[in-house]
């Protein structure tokens, strides 16, 4: 990767263009009334086609993706994105469909939704899916709306609280608040699981339900899920399953069987569609049979959700089929445990035992702090990993540990890649013990060094200005 | 059984890894799962397909869809996509990256988002854009929440009945759960009614008003006096726009709007049966800290080089948790790249030309359809660009045109039919459509 | 060691209060600004807003965190420190000089529940 400094505006020259439009064969329509016309100049760049291609190719070369190398970003499931998925999503017979075309014109698309619904129901044990949500957070919000709608439909209007574990991703409480629910936090035990005794007194008749991730954000299976489900249901609440961590359960455990009533899936995690630099994703929501009637009241996106993403996920499911489904879960778990066991003598493992698809270290065992030199932090380890050609794990999440370093290898990485990562992680630990400054100054080999984020936030520059 | 090419594990690899972990079988990795929850049955999925079988399967599905010339808009527009865009967006460095958390190896993503933000500001005439949202309707819902957060004591948001139906439905869904009251401003003579707006504002509880720059009938609206009336009550003016049309119609900035929102789909995104699209949002500077979504800012690295980072993150859910204004985590990044490349290629002249071609084509179709004698004008003399409605004298027009190879004459709830012409529609196609109308 | 000034009142949540008759100047302590690191934004109420003792009136933001500001007293905001809008770093540079809001107190007896310098010193364990 090399540093490339241009912005597209700086490639612009008056009079150049990158478009090719047909000759105008129509008589000229009358002009808009002046009061409705744009007066301001339109400051878009003027760039030729080759310049555009070169500019964005240069930009791409400052980026790291799954196709570049190992991307062990915890809770993001950065698995390989099969290329057949892209080819299928690009088919003109799907791309050219207008979203308001009636079903009689879109039988192929409708069939994709039907088959996806069946497949996801089979994989998760839910009854029916809606594909409208465009991302995980969007699915979460949709799921919570369905939870509230269920109680409203039953005339049970006082259920306005939702229980969220303290280990939850920040999106959970944020989605709850957007949905008008009050968040009640339940504590985790020292072993990282929900404290069932602490949960019991929270289960009042004002509780709409509980949001859970299982395995949770520490990568640990919530072993008491059976008891929790029985307690929540007995109190009249529903269980919501955050599908961010579904990957290890593929082909092994179904959320529906654990008692969950509502769940979302991240097709861009578990079902191999590309993350696209932060989207588009797709967050279909599945419900148990008793919630099916709630679905029509909730409209959360423009039309049928992110159809292009759903096509990709469907191609992936066809490739997996019955035969390979279980391997996804098993190999993801195998790789995570292998890394954990190979590194726990140099990184602090706060909770022992088998993990699922990911696990959390709490920083280095020996951070190298001495005299006036501060020790190497999790941020330092993350930045140093970039020097060695790996993406960093998720850092400083979950909030239960101060130096959290959350590693998720996924099932698509080879043992050689994983061994190379382990070796580098050990090397970094050794560097930290010897001279933490090597880590403080990292990264050294990337297109840029650490940025001044404080100035960025204090004096925000959020758009291009000439001579900036 | 054939192997799955996405899984590199050999039997020897698996054994070596199990040995290191200290377990004998893969199943032991699930020893923490209560036995009752281990799925014992067979998963009801089709057998695994080879790549060619997947191609064949999709080909047969594709063949089940009709292939029609699209003459409908209503929130999704069949504009032309330059070949460069899918080519560049398929670059795996863009496609297979995630949110740019590690900025040192994500400058590509961060730079194009910064460009995208700059371009959205240029189009809308507002100060600050975020890194994009899911789609137009959810951007409207976010703007609704934002208006309530910005104005604090106000509890009601007004929607113009001129907004597209699906935009209203999404905003209503969010409002119902978020606890925001929704009021409505009717359309009179094809345009959001200014006097009705003033009557609603007089109730002094309005946090914001969402109005369409171009409404569901295709009419370019006149919002003279809206901003002053709304600002006098300390509410926010929110303009829902077609970003392509902003090259020629008065901008949210020129209307003195506080927030501009809309769907980026008209900027060269394929119809794709409704998604993925991309929502955009731009705001006046004073509201930027209440804006949802990712934002990229410019700064310097240790060597003083110009670099880009995610910034103003203290607004967001991963820090504010339940106190965040929005639960949005990511953006619609790849589609923002799509829009960025589109606007770079088109430039100011190209985008104006797209509008000119579409508008001229639409007005030609409008005139030709009237000449058939099978329609009545609904809003005579009202200004429109690429989209319009007419009142048909006979029912069943849409189905008849389908048989002739056109997706056109979309019925509206008022009993009108809606048409749209983009620069992709040729004069020959329009003439053929008109002929099909005549032949009934 | 964090700086603590004699003669000010302190809250559990690390705000200080400087009393002038019925008027209270409110800011955050040196300890709080150190804990927070580089402050990038001070979210302040508007003049004329009411604040209530024990309730949030704004927030301090850094790059990676947001921390609520809790009002130690009840009353009406008569002035906000506009200087901090463009220069939030002033809180880092001089926590006791950079007052955030000026409040006309409605219940000055609430001051009795606050700590003096010695008690606050013990509170932060320095």
């Amino acid at each position: 990767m090399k540093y490339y400094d241009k912005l597209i505006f700086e490639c612009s020259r008056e009079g150049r263009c990158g478009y090719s439009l047909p000759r105008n064969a129509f008589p000229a329509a009358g002009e808009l009334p002046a009061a409705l016309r744009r007066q301001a100049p339109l400051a878009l760049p003027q760039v030729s086609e080759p310049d555009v291609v070169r500019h964005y190719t240069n930009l791409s070369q400052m980026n790291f993706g799954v196709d570049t190398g190992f991307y062990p970003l915890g809770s993001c499931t950065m698995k390989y994105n099969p290329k057949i998925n892209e080819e299928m999503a690009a088919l003109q017979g799907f791309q050219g469909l207008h979203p308001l075309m009636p079903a009689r014109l879109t039988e192929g698309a409708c069939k994709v939704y039907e088959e996806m619904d069946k497949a996801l129901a089979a994989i998760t044990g839910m009854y029916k899916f809606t594909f409208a949500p465009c991302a995980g957070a969007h699915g979460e919000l949709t799921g919570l709306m369905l939870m509230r709608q269920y109680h409203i439909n039953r005339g049970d209007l006082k259920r306005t609280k939702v229980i969220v574990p303290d280990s939850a991703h920040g999106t959970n409480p944020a989605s709850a608040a957007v949905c008008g629910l009050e968040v009640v936090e339940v504590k985790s035990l020292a072993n990282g699981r929900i404290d069932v005794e602490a949960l019991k007194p929270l289960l009042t008749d004002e509780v709409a339900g509980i949001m859970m991730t299982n395995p949770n954000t520490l990568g640990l299976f919530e072993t008491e899920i059976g008891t929790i489900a029985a307690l929540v249901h007995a109190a009249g609440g529903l269980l919501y399953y955050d599908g961010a961590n579904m990957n290890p359960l593929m082909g092994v455990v179904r959320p529906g069987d654990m008692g969950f009533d509502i769940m979302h899936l991240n097709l861009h995690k578990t079902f191999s569609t590309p993350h696209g630099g932060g989207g588009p994703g797709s967050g279909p929501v599945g419900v148990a049979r008793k919630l099916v009637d709630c679905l029509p009241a909730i409209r959360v996106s423009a039309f049928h959700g992110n159809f292009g993403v759903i096509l990709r996920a469907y191609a992936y499911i066809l490739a997996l089929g019955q035969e390979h489904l279980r391997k996804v879960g098993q190999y993801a778990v195998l790789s995570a445990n292998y890394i954990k066991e190979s590194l726990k003598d140099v990184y602090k493992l706060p909770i022992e035992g088998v993990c699922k698809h990911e696990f959390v270290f709490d920083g280095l065992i020996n951070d190298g702090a001495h005299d006036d030199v501060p020790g190497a932090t999790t941020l330092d380890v993350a930045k140093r990993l970039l020097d060695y050609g790996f993406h960093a794990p998720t850092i400083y999440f979950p909030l239960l540990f101060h130096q959290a370093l959350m590693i998720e290898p996924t099932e698509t990485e080879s043992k050689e890649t994983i061994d190379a990562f382990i070796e580098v992680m050990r090397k970094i630990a050794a560097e930290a013990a010897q001279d933490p400054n090597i880590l403080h100054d990292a990264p050294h080999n990337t297109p840029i060094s650490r940025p001044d984020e404080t100035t960025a936030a204090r004096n925000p520059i959020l758009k291009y200005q000439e001579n900036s | 059984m054939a192997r799955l090419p996405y899984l590199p594990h050999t039997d020897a690899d698996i054994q070596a890894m199990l040995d290191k972990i200290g377990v004998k079988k893969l199943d032991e990795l699930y020893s923490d799962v209560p036995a009752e929850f281990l799925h014992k049955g067979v998963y009801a999925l089709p057998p695994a397909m080879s790549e060619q079988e997947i191609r064949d399967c999709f080909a047969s599905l594709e063949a089940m869809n009709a292939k029609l010339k699209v003459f409908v808009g209503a929130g999704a527009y069949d504009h032309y996509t330059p070949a460069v865009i899918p080519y560049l967006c398929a670059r795996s460095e863009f496609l297979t990256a995630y949110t740019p958390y590690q900025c040192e190896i994500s400058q590509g993503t961060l730079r194009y988002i910064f460009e995208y933000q700059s371009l959205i500001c240029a189009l809308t005439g507002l100060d600050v854009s975020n890194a994009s949202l899911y789609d137009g309707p959810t951007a409207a819902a976010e703007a609704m929440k934002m208006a309530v957060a910005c104005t604090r004591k106000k509890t009601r948001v007004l929607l113009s009945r001129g907004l597209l139906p699906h935009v209203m439905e999404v905003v209503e869904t969010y409002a119902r759960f978020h606890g925001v009251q929704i009021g409505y401003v009717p359309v009179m003579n094809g345009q959001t009614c200014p006097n009705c707006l003033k009557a609603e504002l007089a109730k002094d509880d309005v946090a914001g008003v969402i109005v369409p720059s171009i409404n569901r009938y295709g009419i370019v609206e006149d919002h003279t006096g809206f901003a002053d009336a709304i600002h006098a009550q300390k509410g926010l003016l929110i303009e829902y726009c077609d970003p392509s049309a902003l090259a020629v119609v008065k901008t949210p900035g020129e209307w003195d709007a506080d927030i501009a929102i809309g769907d980026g789909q008209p900027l060269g995104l394929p119809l794709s049966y409704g998604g993925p699209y991309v929502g955009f949002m731009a705001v006046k500077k004073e509201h930027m800290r209440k804006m949802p979504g990712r934002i990229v800012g410019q700064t310097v690295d240790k060597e003083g080089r110009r670099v880009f980072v995610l910034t103003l993150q203290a607004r967001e859910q991963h820090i504010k948790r339940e106190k965040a204004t929005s639960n949005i985590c990511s953006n619609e990044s790849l589609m923002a790249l799509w829009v960025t490349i589109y606007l770079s290629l088109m430039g100011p002249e190209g985008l104006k030309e797209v509008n000119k071609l579409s508008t001229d084509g639409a007005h030609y179709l409008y005139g030709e359809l009237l000449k058939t004698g099978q329609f009545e004008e609904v809003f005579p003399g009202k200004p429109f660009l690429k989209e319009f409605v007419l009142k048909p004298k006979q029912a069943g027009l849409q189905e008849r045109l389908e048989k002739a190879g056109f997706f056109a004459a979309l019925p509206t709830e008022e009993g009108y039919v809606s048409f749209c012409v983009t620069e992709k529609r040729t004069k020959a196609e329009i003439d053929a459509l008109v002929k099909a109308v005549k032949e009934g | 060691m964090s700086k603590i000034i004699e003669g000010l009142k302190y809250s559990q949540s690390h705000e200080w209060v400087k009393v002038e008759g019925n008027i209270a100047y409110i800011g955050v302590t040196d300890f709080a600004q150190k804990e927070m690191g580089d402050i990038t934004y001070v979210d302040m109420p508007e003049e004329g807003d009411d604040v209530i003792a024990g309730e949030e009136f704004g927030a301090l933001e850094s790059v990676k965190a947001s921390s609520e500001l809790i009002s130690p007293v009840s009353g009406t905001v008569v002035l906000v420190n506009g200087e901090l809008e463009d220069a939030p770093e002033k809180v880092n540079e001089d926590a006791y000089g950079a007052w955030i809001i000026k409040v006309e107190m409605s219940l000055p007896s609430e001051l009795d529940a606050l700590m003096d310098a010695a008690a606050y010193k013990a509170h932060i364990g320095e």
Side-chain angles (χ1 to χ4, degrees):
Chain A
M1 288 190 209
K2 67 173 197 290
Y3 180 71
Y4 164 81
D5 188 38
K6 279 195 184 126
L7 290 167
I8 191 69
F9 304 94
E10 293 156 355
C11 307
S12 176
R13 293 293 177 276
E14 181 83 35
R16 281 196 190 136
C17 83
Y19 65 90
S20 160
L21 289 166
R23 253 188 300 279
N24 192 334
F26 305 105
E31 280 226 58
L32 276 179
L36 302 181
R37 251 183 277 156
R38 179 182 181 115
Q39 306 293 339
L42 186 55
L44 304 181
Q46 301 182 45
V47 200
S48 70
E49 182 173 321
D51 286 343
V52 167
V53 171
R54 198 161 285 165
H55 174 71
Y56 290 100
T57 302
N58 277 309
L59 287 192
S60 78
Q61 289 175 345
M62 290 193 286
N63 251 18
F64 186 103
V66 172
D67 286 1
T68 318
F70 188 41
Y71 213 127
L73 194 63
S75 115
C76 298
T77 314
M78 300 300 290
K79 63 170 74 174
Y80 172 69
N81 310 130
K83 304 313 165 199
I84 183 73
N85 300 0
E86 299 306 308
E87 190 181 302
M88 296 303 98
L91 291 172
Q92 197 45 46
F94 291 115
Q95 279 208 344
L97 292 181
H98 192 284
L100 293 171
M101 281 180 171
R104 61 180 177 270
L105 302 177
T106 60
E107 284 177 23
C110 295
K111 180 90 173 151
V112 170
Y113 280 98
E114 266 169 48
E115 293 298 320
M116 275 296 281
D117 186 33
K118 274 197 265 177
L120 296 185
I123 291 169
T124 61
M126 305 311 284
Y127 183 74
K128 180 131 194 78
F129 275 82
T130 165
F131 291 86
C134 299
H138 203 201
E140 222 173 84
L141 175 59
T142 308
L144 290 173
M145 287 175 174
L146 288 162
M147 185 186 277
R148 282 196 72 188
Q149 191 68 47
Y150 173 80
H151 296 302
I152 290 166
N153 286 0
R154 293 157 52 93
D156 192 350
L157 303 179
K158 61 183 177 303
R159 294 190 181 266
T160 54
K161 293 183 179 171
V162 65
I163 298 171
V164 179
D166 57 2
S167 62
H169 196 277
T171 327
N172 286 181
S175 297
V178 170
C179 192
L181 288 161
E182 189 191 326
V183 176
V184 182
E185 204 171 79
V186 61
K187 296 280 172 227
S188 300
L189 293 165
N191 71 5
R193 273 82 173 187
I194 288 181
D195 184 345
V196 175
E197 290 310 311
L199 175 65
K200 283 178 184 168
L202 303 179
L203 292 170
T204 66
D205 61 0
E206 292 180 353
V207 168
I210 185 169
M211 300 182 81
M212 284 178 69
T213 316
N214 193 14
N216 62 28
T217 58
L218 298 170
L220 301 170
F221 195 84
E222 292 282 358
T223 44
E224 296 299 317
I225 181 59
T227 311
I228 292 169
L231 286 168
V232 172
H233 283 147
L238 297 175
L239 280 89
Y240 180 82
Y241 181 87
D242 177 339
N245 292 353
M246 179 68 201
N247 207 41
L249 303 193
M250 290 277 274
V252 186
V253 181
R254 308 195 311 168
D257 297 341
M258 292 189 279
F260 287 97
D261 305 290
I262 311 168
M263 69 175 292
H264 84 264
L265 286 166
N266 296 289
L267 298 187
H268 47 286
K269 293 180 182 176
T270 318
F271 292 90
S272 87
T273 76
H275 282 70
S282 174
V285 170
V287 295
R289 189 170 199 152
K290 64 184 175 194
L291 279 120
V292 168
D293 295 344
C294 303
L295 288 171
I298 314 286
R299 179 158 193 178
V300 294
S301 69
F303 301 107
H304 317 287
N306 281 344
F307 180 61
V309 180
I310 293 157
L311 285 173
R312 289 171 172 87
Y314 185 50
Y316 178 67
I317 288 173
L318 293 179
L320 285 184
Q322 241 176 38
E323 297 94 308
H324 302 300
L325 183 70
R326 190 177 175 82
K327 290 179 203 156
V328 170
Q330 284 183 331
Y331 294 178
V333 173
L334 175 70
S335 296
N337 279 286
Y338 177 66
I339 297 176
K340 170 170 66 75
E341 293 304 316
S342 303
L343 288 174
K344 68 178 189 185
D345 59 326
V346 282
Y347 291 86
K348 276 183 226 161
L349 180 65
I351 300 168
E352 276 284 351
V354 67
C355 67
K356 294 276 88 58
H357 63 307
E358 65 189 4
F359 62 92
V360 178
F361 283 136
D362 189 11
L364 286 154
I365 289 176
N366 178 4
D367 67 5
H370 63 276
D371 306 322
D372 287 344
V373 180
T377 63
T378 277
L379 178 70
D380 296 330
V381 172
K383 296 300 179 196
R384 188 64 177 146
L385 266 171
L386 309 183
D387 276 337
Y388 289 107
F390 293 102
H391 197 279
T394 293
I395 55 174
Y396 301 111
F397 181 80
L399 308 174
L400 298 179
F401 307 110
H402 288 300
Q403 292 294 326
L405 190 68
M406 185 193 217
I407 299 173
E408 179 182 8
T410 86
E411 72 282 7
T412 60
E413 297 299 334
S414 69
K415 182 167 178 293
E416 289 88 328
T417 301
I418 290 173
D419 284 337
F421 174 72
I422 290 167
E423 197 188 317
V424 161
M425 285 290 282
R426 300 192 68 88
K427 193 168 172 185
I428 292 172
E431 286 175 349
Q434 201 178 27
D435 179 9
N437 281 328
I438 302 173
L439 275 67
H440 295 322
D441 295 336
H444 306 268
N445 309 331
T446 49
I448 66 163
S449 56
R450 288 193 203 184
D452 179 354
E453 295 189 70
T454 302
T455 301
R458 275 183 185 162
N459 307 304
I461 302 173
L462 308 176
K463 64 177 177 186
Y464 174 74
Q465 273 142 349
E466 250 173 287
N467 310 317
S468 70
Chain B
M1 194 196 309
R3 304 194 75 100
L4 184 68
Y6 319 146
L7 301 176
H9 302 62
T10 66
D11 293 344
D13 291 339
I14 293 170
Q15 195 52 55
M17 291 163 90
L18 289 173
D19 290 347
K20 175 72 194 180
I21 298 165
V23 297
K24 292 202 168 54
K25 294 186 308 190
L26 284 168
D27 288 348
E28 284 178 48
L29 297 171
Y30 291 88
S31 57
D32 51 347
V33 177
E36 56 188 304
F37 298 133
L38 292 169
H39 189 59
K40 280 143 208 109
V42 175
Y43 280 84
L45 292 175
M49 288 187 190
S50 69
E51 199 159 283
Q52 188 53 44
E53 287 167 318
I54 294 171
R55 279 195 179 123
D56 294 343
C57 173
F58 271 75
S60 66
L61 289 167
E62 193 190 8
M64 291 162 67
N65 297 323
K67 287 190 176 57
L68 304 179
K69 294 288 173 199
V70 174
F71 279 92
V72 167
Y77 300 90
D78 190 23
H79 284 291
Y80 135 83
T81 303
V84 165
I85 307 177
Y87 174 83
L88 286 173
C89 288
R91 284 193 71 90
S92 69
E93 299 90 334
F94 291 134
L95 185 68
T96 72
Y98 192 37
T99 300
Y101 292 124
Q102 296 295 336
C103 62
E104 293 89 348
I105 52 171
S106 312
Q107 284 297 299
T109 301
L110 289 160
R111 270 187 191 248
Y112 78 65
I113 293 176
F114 185 80
E115 292 177 349
Y116 164 86
Q117 291 173 181
S118 308
L119 292 163
I120 293 297
C121 290
L123 278 179
T124 57
L126 288 174
D127 305 318
V128 182
S129 158
N130 67 13
S132 76
L133 298 163
Y134 306 134
D135 63 11
T138 57
E142 293 292 337
M144 167 205 71
K145 282 191 285 146
M146 198 180 144
V148 173
C150 285
T151 53
R152 297 185 296 173
K153 284 154 205 152
K154 313 266 180 174
T155 53
R156 206 157 63 104
V157 170
L158 302 179
L159 306 182
S160 162
R161 294 256 183 218
L163 290 163
L164 290 159
H166 65 272
V167 175
M168 289 208 274
E169 278 180 49
V170 172
V171 174
E172 286 160 353
T173 302
Y174 273 69
R176 189 152 59 86
F177 291 102
H178 196 57
V180 179
Q181 284 173 275
I182 294 290
Y184 297 91
V185 186
V187 171
M188 306 280 262
N189 296 322
Q191 123 108 41
T192 305
C193 166
N195 290 332
C196 313
L197 170 65
K198 280 170 195 149
E200 289 294 328
L201 287 171
K203 296 175 191 165
D204 197 25
D205 59 353
V206 173
V209 184
I210 309 182
V211 293
S213 159
I214 299 176
N215 65 31
R216 65 202 289 180
Y217 311 111
I219 296 166
V220 182
E221 292 213 348
D222 185 347
H223 295 157
T224 305
F226 281 29
D228 288 347
I230 294 164
H231 291 157
Q233 303 294 326
K234 294 197 171 9
L236 305 189
L237 171 59
I238 303 162
E239 290 263 341
Y240 192 96
C241 318
D242 173 342
S244 174
L246 287 178
V248 294
V249 303
K250 196 154 168 168
T251 65
E254 288 169 323
W255 288 124
D256 195 21
D258 300 275
I259 305 176
I261 43 169
D263 204 307
Q265 187 277 335
L267 299 174
L269 269 62
L271 291 169
S272 193
Y273 203 44
Y277 294 170
V278 54
F280 67 86
M281 176 183 277
V283 304
K284 282 186 182 166
K285 193 166 185 201
E286 65 225 60
H287 305 307
M288 83 182 166
R289 288 177 194 269
K290 291 275 193 289
M291 184 160 57
R294 299 285 194 209
I295 299 176
V296 169
Q298 179 183 315
T299 184
V300 290
D301 72 357
K302 282 201 255 176
E303 280 73 36
R305 288 176 293 206
R306 178 172 64 173
V307 302
F308 299 87
V309 294
L310 291 172
T311 192
L312 305 184
Q313 294 193 67
R315 301 164 294 116
E316 293 186 58
Q317 46 74 32
H318 62 284
I319 292 175
K320 281 245 163 104
R321 295 174 80 86
E322 67 268 20
K323 292 207 163 124
T325 331
S326 169
N327 68 329
I328 300 253
C329 300
S330 52
N331 61 336
E332 212 74 345
S333 200
L334 198 73
M335 307 332 281
L337 173 62
W338 194 288
V339 162
T340 303
I341 299 172
Y342 178 85
L343 290 170
S344 304
L345 291 165
M346 301 313 282
E349 295 313 313
L351 201 58
K352 283 178 203 162
E353 185 62 21
V354 162
N355 276 278
K356 175 83 175 136
L357 284 162
S358 305
T359 303
D360 288 353
H363 284 252
Y364 174 71
L365 174 63
Y366 186 89
E368 294 299 307
L369 287 175
L370 281 183
K371 280 187 212 163
T372 64
Q374 297 193 29
F375 301 92
E376 285 169 24
E377 282 192 282
V378 183
F379 302 110
K382 287 285 171 187
F384 66 92
L385 299 177
K386 63 191 168 200
E387 202 169 11
F388 59 85
V389 294
L390 290 170
K391 192 167 170 39
K393 290 180 181 165
Q394 284 175 16
L397 182 60
Q398 184 188 14
E399 287 82 349
R400 277 188 279 127
L401 293 176
E402 276 169 22
K403 293 198 180 78
F406 303 101
F407 178 52
L410 186 76
T412 72
E413 57 193 49
E414 301 89 345
Y416 313 144
V417 288
S418 160
F419 291 89
C420 177
V421 178
T422 66
E423 75 284 7
K424 274 174 80 173
R425 297 289 76 87
T426 63
K427 183 160 178 299
E429 287 168 358
I430 293 174
D431 290 338
L433 173 72
V434 173
K435 186 161 169 268
V437 169
K438 276 186 203 154
E439 285 166 359
Chain C
M1 283 288 279
S2 301
K3 195 167 149 191
I4 298 173
I5 293 187
E6 290 293 334
L8 300 183
K9 292 284 195 176
Y10 296 89
S11 71
Q12 301 270 336
S13 49
H14 311 288
E15 288 83 11
W16 56 259
V17 184
K18 184 175 156 197
V19 182
E20 286 179 5
N22 203 30
I23 293 292
Y25 288 87
I26 298 169
V28 298
T29 65
D30 189 46
F31 175 82
Q33 73 77 17
K34 276 189 188 151
E35 284 286 299
M36 198 69 194
D38 290 338
I39 290 161
T40 56
Y41 182 62
V42 186
D43 187 11
M44 293 179 284
E46 284 171 24
E47 284 158 21
D49 283 0
D50 288 334
V51 293
I52 297 167
E55 293 193 9
E56 183 181 347
F57 70 89
L60 292 182
E61 293 181 2
S62 69
V63 167
K64 302 280 183 206
S66 171
S67 173
E68 288 171 10
L69 292 165
I70 309 291
S71 185
V73 296
S74 304
T76 305
V77 179
V78 289
L79 205 60
V80 300
N81 188 351
E83 245 191 355
L84 301 180
E85 246 161 66
D86 294 320
E89 59 272 21
K90 287 196 187 300
V91 178
N92 291 120
E93 288 160 6
D94 179 9
Y96 297 100
W99 59 274
I100 296 169
I101 52 172
K102 180 178 168 185
V103 172
E104 189 176 325
M105 291 182 282
S106 54
L107 205 59
S109 61
E110 285 170 344
L111 292 168
D112 299 342
L114 300 174
M115 290 175 273
D116 62 12
Y120 182 68
K121 193 169 174 11
H123 175 59
I124 60 173
E126 286 188 354

